[in-house]
């Protein structure tokens, strides 16, 4: 099949949003993640899906050199910069969704997810969230003496942090993201405070223990059941550190025993088959730690699988 024929068969539109921001992470490098994924062949992978890239935007994030003083507000490092970045991301995601496009957000660290969720929460009545990460993202300002926003993305989305989604986008709809429709997958490094929130709120978590015991197909089936129950679609947030570091070494916080290459691809293929994905963010690819760009290469393959790419 020729490239022109492929283009003619594309019936869905995608907005590609680059967010080269890494101030929510623990070390430099994630701000280079979006460019690394593009350079390793993202656009070529996207052409193998049914999606046409209808628009592309690079968010002008706060300058990293000017923001490396370590200043923090209320115990959170670089809170002002995260809020500025989040508002810009939310604007672009909301605009894309309003046009009927699927927003594909390339981070950056996991604080980028806060902006993506704020943008979608302004466009849907209820949004399910499937969150792939080794860490729950449920730290709060009280969890540690100085917290990082990359570890707080879900606590912000669920109203457990001082920062609220409505601060990033005034059109955020109340209760657009409900704890009953949030699912964590691949978790294996949990702080005591996060464990307490998970248990108290009854948040659905499939740790690597459950994945080993149940198998990834059953886990995804149950995750979709939870995230899709009464919602207008699902946002998929995919952190590269949910993968096993043997296969994806280019992440800030390596935790052994993550998802394998095939488990991750199968999970993404199964999610694509549901037709429920409304938006995606892919984060935590640290190019400074990424040997031979292995993590970036794996990430773009997973993006293609999430968008419905098949072998045959």
């Amino acid at each position: 099949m020729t490239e022109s024929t492929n283009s003619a068969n594309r019936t869905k539109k995608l907005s590609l949003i680059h967010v080269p921001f890494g101030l929510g992470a623990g070390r430099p490098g994630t701000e280079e993640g979006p460019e690394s994924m593009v350079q390793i062949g993202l656009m070529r992978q996207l052409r193998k899906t049914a999606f046409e890239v209808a628009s592309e935007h690079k968010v002008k994030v706060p300058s990293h050199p000017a923001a490396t003083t370590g200043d923090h507000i209320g115990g959170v490092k670089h809170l002002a910069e995260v809020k500025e970045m989040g508002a810009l991301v939310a604007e672009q995601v909301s605009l894309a969704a309003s046009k009927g496009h699927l927003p594909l957000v390339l981070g950056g660290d996991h604080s980028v997810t806060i902006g993506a969720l704020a943008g979608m929460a302004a466009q849907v009545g209820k949004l399910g969230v499937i969150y792939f990460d080794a860490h729950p993202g449920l730290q709060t300002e009280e969890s540690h003496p100085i917290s990082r926003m990359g570890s707080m993305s879900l606590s912000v989305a669920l109203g457990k942090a001082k920062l609220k989604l409505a601060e990033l986008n005034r059109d955020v709809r109340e209760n657009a993201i409900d704890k009953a429709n949030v699912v964590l997958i691949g978790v294996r490094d949990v702080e005591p405070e996060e464990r307490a929130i998970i248990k108290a709120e009854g948040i659905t978590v499939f740790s690597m223990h459950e994945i080993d015991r149940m198998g990834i197909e059953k886990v995804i089936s149950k995750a979709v059941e939870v995230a899709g129950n009464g919602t207008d679609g699902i946002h998929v947030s995919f952190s590269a550190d949910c993968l096993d570091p043997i296969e994806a070494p280019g992440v800030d916080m390596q935790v052994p025993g993550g998802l394998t290459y095939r488990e991750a691809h199968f999970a993404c293929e199964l999610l694509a088959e549901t037709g429920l994905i409304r938006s995606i963010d892919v984060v935590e690819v640290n190019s400074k730690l990424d040997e031979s760009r292995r993590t970036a290469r794996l990430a773009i393959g997973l993006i293609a699988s999430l968008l419905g790419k098949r072998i045959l």
Side-chain angles (χ1 to χ4, degrees):
M1 182 178 288
T2 65
E3 181 65 33
S4 60
T5 305
N6 254 332
S7 300
N9 288 338
R10 291 185 198 135
T11 58
K12 306 173 186 178
K13 295 187 182 298
L14 176 151
S15 289
L16 186 58
I17 303 166
H18 307 251
V19 192
F21 184 86
L23 292 177
R27 63 176 80 181
T30 52
E31 68 276 5
E32 299 174 3
E35 183 61 24
S36 181
M37 285 185 271
V38 170
Q39 289 183 359
I40 206 66
L42 173 65
M43 302 309 289
R44 184 172 62 252
Q45 288 286 353
L46 294 181
R47 286 193 291 269
K48 297 177 182 179
T49 74
F51 282 85
E52 172 192 353
V53 179
S55 66
E56 190 171 358
H57 182 83
K58 184 174 182 178
V59 173
K60 294 182 179 179
V61 300
S63 170
H64 282 70
T68 54
T69 60
D71 291 343
H72 58 276
I73 301 172
V76 180
K77 293 192 71 173
H78 304 304
L79 177 59
E81 291 84 4
V82 169
K83 289 176 69 173
E84 181 181 346
M85 173 275 299
L88 294 171
V89 173
E91 179 183 9
Q92 290 301 317
V93 168
S94 182
L95 177 62
S98 71
K99 295 178 178 178
H101 301 173
L102 185 148
L104 171 57
V105 180
L106 304 179
D109 68 73
H110 224 147
S111 67
V112 171
T113 302
I114 300 171
L117 291 175
M120 289 304 296
Q123 291 295 324
V124 300
K126 290 195 72 176
L127 182 70
V129 178
I130 295 181
Y131 190 92
F132 289 87
D133 200 331
H135 315 89
L138 287 167
Q139 291 186 22
T140 66
E141 293 86 349
E142 287 75 33
S143 297
H144 297 280
I146 299 179
S147 300
R148 295 184 175 88
M149 290 304 299
S151 300
M152 297 172 61
S153 46
L154 268 189
S155 60
V156 173
L158 294 176
K160 297 297 178 182
K162 293 178 182 178
L163 176 63
K164 308 300 180 186
L165 292 183
E167 295 180 53
L168 306 181
N169 189 314
R170 63 183 182 183
D171 295 324
V172 165
R173 302 181 185 186
E174 189 175 357
N175 301 319
I177 300 174
D178 190 296
K179 63 186 179 183
N181 300 120
V182 172
V183 182
L184 286 76
I185 296 177
V187 171
R188 54 196 188 278
D189 185 13
V190 185
E191 296 291 334
E193 297 86 353
E194 295 176 306
R195 185 177 295 109
I197 291 175
I198 289 168
K199 291 183 177 295
E201 300 296 329
I203 297 170
T204 300
V205 177
F206 295 103
S207 69
M208 290 307 302
H209 173 81
E210 279 76 37
I211 292 171
D212 289 342
R213 182 166 54 87
M214 298 167 57
I216 194 66
E217 182 175 14
K218 190 170 183 179
V219 164
I220 294 300
S221 176
K222 288 185 173 294
V224 170
E225 183 179 327
V226 172
N229 184 23
T231 63
D232 302 310
I234 296 172
H235 175 87
V236 176
S237 178
F238 197 100
S239 170
D241 68 14
C242 78
L243 303 164
D244 194 289
I246 293 175
E247 301 187 69
V251 298
D252 275 0
M253 299 175 66
Q254 293 187 359
V255 185
L259 292 171
T260 66
Y261 173 90
R262 270 312 312 162
E263 282 176 329
H265 269 288
F266 191 29
C268 291
E269 290 163 358
L270 291 170
L271 287 171
E273 287 176 0
T274 69
L276 296 176
I277 298 177
R278 289 286 302 272
S279 50
I280 300 167
D281 73 70
V282 179
V283 296
E284 294 293 344
V285 174
N286 188 319
S287 65
K288 293 187 183 301
L289 304 174
D290 195 15
E291 176 190 339
S292 302
R293 295 189 181 176
R294 290 167 57 197
T295 311
R297 184 176 289 106
L298 181 51
I300 65 172
L302 293 171
I303 290 171
S305 289
L306 275 172
L307 295 175
K309 177 191 170 185
R310 292 292 181 270
I311 297 171
L312 295 175

